[in-house]
Amino acid sequence: MISEKELAELSYAEAPQMISTGVPGPKTQKYIEVSTEYESMARGGGRYPLVMAEGKGATVKDPDGNVYIDITAGVAVNAVGRCHPRVIKAMKDQMDSLMHAVDVASVRRTELAQKVSSVMPPGLRDNCITYFAQSGSGAVETAVKFVRKITGRSQIAAFHGAYHGVFLGANSLTTGDQYRKGYGPFIPGVIHLPYPYCYRCCFGLEYPSCNLQCAQYVDYVLNTPYTGADDVGAVIIEAQQGEGGYVPTPPGYLAIVKKACEKHGALYISDEVQAGAGRTGKMWCIEHYGIEPDMVTWGKGMGGDVAMAGLSLRKDLAAKIVDGSQPNTFAANALSSVASMTNIDILTENDAALIKRAGVLGEEVSNQLREGAKDIEVIGDVRGKGLMIGIEMVEDKESRKPLNGDALGKIVMGLLQRGIVMVPCGRNGNVFRFMPPLVLTREHAAKAVDIFLETVKTV
């Protein structure tokens, strides 16, 4: 098992440490002003008042020298931490021989494809073909295209609260208002079904006495005449939703959905872009449920500091895809390939010690949050697996009314002023995400939770 001392050496030990009297500081503010003049604010971070100048492990610095504990991991990207020494060395060594290799076979790209296959969940492990992309959106977009070719069907089923990307096809599966409103029309044939959001059940029921009514409804839609789901080629689902509020599926739910897919003849796609790469305490979130997917879309933590994503699908399915029908100039170039392979090695070596630690540390953090939430009326729910923890903020525990945007904004700024980078998500924007690099030390984790609870009380 990796030691806390080894992990501590990967980050700035002094974090959090605030140098400037205010946040953002003067140097940071200058960069923000220039950024808003030259960059599109359609970017994911919008106008979030932080500028990153340096990163180390689970910590970052801004231009003013303020040192923060990073509870975002670049939105679940930096699984092994920022600027991991082994990743840097692998990239530097590769730079001298080959970087861009165009969209053909190359030594590093082929090695990566083999390694990805070896760590896929059961059903795909050592039995898959991988299409490489630069983002989760690209991987999902490709999945939609491939499903239509493989099955000869045009419909895709997704879920309320889903985030599968922002390209046209992927965006059609995504349900967030800010990504959709004003950008339609989207591709036809997308069906959205209720996701098992137990804290806010759309059926007004409670688990487990609900008998998983939401899963039964999926089966009803797919396998009952006159529901309009007569041509579904695939169902795509996150085993634990990301942007939708860090909502894990309850035990038994995915098994019913998988069986419903099989009855209908639809493929099962597990979107692991945010939940994969060890974040939930297993390499892939779906492994918690024992389901064998037909396809997996992945990204973020698999590349870490370098853009890397992909779609892995069963070999028999991939055999139906026409050669040369989905070119991607920069996919899996040699430099990104060695970075990704090194990331995978760090995650899986020593019997996947870092991944298993994420499960243990995640439980410790969840318990600390739940204990602290007992006397904080505005923390309604703490949920999730491993280091993918959602903290749902409400007006009060009884009503469960989502906490208002003004209060949420004050919490975000309060955290930043205290040296914690932490951002919300969710259908109402009221769920704080605890999604740090997996190399976060126990000391930094405890500090971050203490500061979070203190900030919430103060606001």
Side-chain angles (χ1 to χ4, degrees):
M1 181 66 74
I2 190 167
S3 71
E4 290 296 309
K5 182 179 178 181
E6 290 176 289
L7 292 175
E9 292 173 353
L10 296 174
S11 297
Y12 296 117
E14 65 271 26
Q17 184 181 68
M18 306 310 289
I19 305 299
S20 60
T21 55
V23 173
K27 293 180 181 179
T28 301
Q29 183 60 42
K30 178 66 175 177
Y31 276 101
I32 290 173
E33 291 170 359
V34 175
S35 175
T36 55
E37 183 177 354
Y38 290 97
E39 289 191 67
S40 168
M41 291 301 107
R43 65 189 185 192
R47 299 177 189 273
Y48 185 66
L50 172 68
V51 172
M52 293 188 181
E54 300 177 35
K56 187 178 180 184
T59 55
V60 293
K61 283 185 182 180
D62 69 15
D64 294 286
N66 297 309
V67 187
Y68 304 83
I69 299 175
D70 177 19
I71 305 301
T72 70
V75 190
V77 167
N78 298 105
V80 304
R82 296 178 185 272
C83 300
H84 194 290
R86 285 172 57 183
V87 176
I88 291 174
K89 183 181 185 305
M91 292 177 68
K92 285 182 176 179
D93 291 346
Q94 182 61 37
M95 283 181 181
D96 290 330
S97 55
L98 180 70
M99 287 188 278
H100 178 58
V102 83
D103 204 13
V104 298
S106 65
V107 171
R108 299 305 182 212
R109 179 181 177 132
T110 300
E111 290 173 345
L112 175 60
Q114 290 176 304
K115 190 174 288 290
V116 167
S117 182
S118 73
V119 298
M120 277 287 120
L124 291 178
R125 189 172 301 160
D126 297 321
N127 181 36
C128 69
I129 296 294
T130 294
Y131 172 88
F132 292 110
Q134 289 89 41
S135 69
S137 292
V140 172
E141 196 80 12
T142 303
V144 172
K145 181 175 178 178
F146 282 10
V147 162
R148 289 181 167 181
K149 178 64 175 177
I150 291 166
T151 66
R153 299 180 179 186
S154 62
Q155 292 179 315
I156 304 285
F159 291 80
H160 302 157
Y163 181 91
H164 296 296
V166 291
F167 297 169
L168 182 61
N171 202 26
S172 301
L173 305 174
T174 296
T175 58
D177 290 351
Q178 69 270 40
Y179 310 117
R180 295 174 62 91
K181 194 171 183 179
Y183 292 103
F186 300 103
I187 64 170
V190 174
I191 299 169
H192 284 107
L193 301 165
Y195 188 85
Y197 192 170
C198 294
Y199 187 68
R200 300 186 183 280
C201 178
C202 64
F203 296 104
L205 303 173
E206 290 188 9
Y207 180 83
S209 60
C210 62
N211 193 33
L212 291 169
Q213 181 63 44
C214 49
Q216 305 294 347
Y217 182 73
V218 173
D219 182 44
Y220 164 79
V221 171
L222 290 181
N223 296 301
T224 304
Y226 280 68
T227 63
D230 48 29
D231 195 37
V232 176
V235 171
I236 184 168
I237 187 169
E238 302 159 88
Q240 175 169 325
Q241 280 195 341
E243 301 301 313
Y246 272 41
V247 184
T249 53
Y253 176 86
L254 293 181
I256 296 174
V257 172
K258 180 62 159 51
K259 187 175 181 180
C261 288
E262 292 170 348
K263 286 165 60 179
H264 187 83
L267 300 176
Y268 183 107
I269 307 172
S270 184
D271 187 335
E272 298 275 351
V273 173
Q274 189 159 165
R279 176 148 301 280
T280 65
K282 290 186 180 293
M283 186 65 185
W284 308 104
C285 189
I286 197 171
E287 291 183 276
H288 288 282
Y289 301 96
I291 304 300
E292 296 187 1
D294 299 302
M295 299 183 181
V296 168
T297 54
W298 52 266
K300 292 186 181 288
M302 291 286 277
D305 282 319
V306 180
M308 173 61 70
L311 165 70
S312 297
L313 62 160
R314 279 203 330 268
K315 285 187 174 181
D316 62 304
L317 300 177
K320 300 179 181 180
I321 300 301
V322 178
D323 288 2
S325 61
Q326 185 77 350
N328 187 336
T329 303
F330 293 100
N333 69 33
L335 200 59
S336 61
S337 292
V338 296
S340 184
M341 284 191 286
T342 308
N343 271 288
I344 295 170
D345 286 343
I346 295 169
L347 289 169
T348 59
E349 64 191 8
N350 300 319
D351 194 27
L354 192 59
I355 293 175
K356 290 178 179 177
R357 179 182 178 276
V360 174
L361 181 58
E363 189 62 29
E364 293 172 7
V365 168
S366 293
N367 289 338
Q368 186 182 355
L369 284 165
R370 291 188 182 105
E371 185 62 31
K374 287 180 179 178
D375 62 349
I376 301 178
E377 187 66 10
V378 296
I379 297 181
D381 192 30
V382 177
R383 57 180 178 254
K385 296 184 180 297
L387 289 174
M388 188 173 182
I389 303 166
I391 310 158
E392 181 143 3
M393 311 301 293
V394 294
E395 296 286 352
D396 60 83
K397 295 181 188 294
E398 184 176 355
S399 73
R400 299 188 180 184
K401 181 180 178 182
L403 190 63
N404 66 78
D406 183 57
L408 289 163
K410 289 179 180 178
I411 294 172
V412 170
M413 283 307 300
L415 288 168
L416 208 53
Q417 290 161 1
R418 292 167 172 83
I420 302 296
V421 183
M422 197 170 180
V423 294
C425 66
R427 303 181 191 188
N428 298 291
N430 67 320
V431 180
F432 277 96
R433 293 180 271 194
F434 197 96
M435 53 171 178
L438 275 54
V439 298
L440 180 76
T441 63
R442 280 183 165 83
E443 180 182 358
H444 278 158
K447 280 184 181 179
V449 174
D450 285 342
I451 292 172
F452 174 78
L453 294 171
E454 174 194 341
T455 302
V456 171
K457 288 179 180 178
T458 302
V459 173

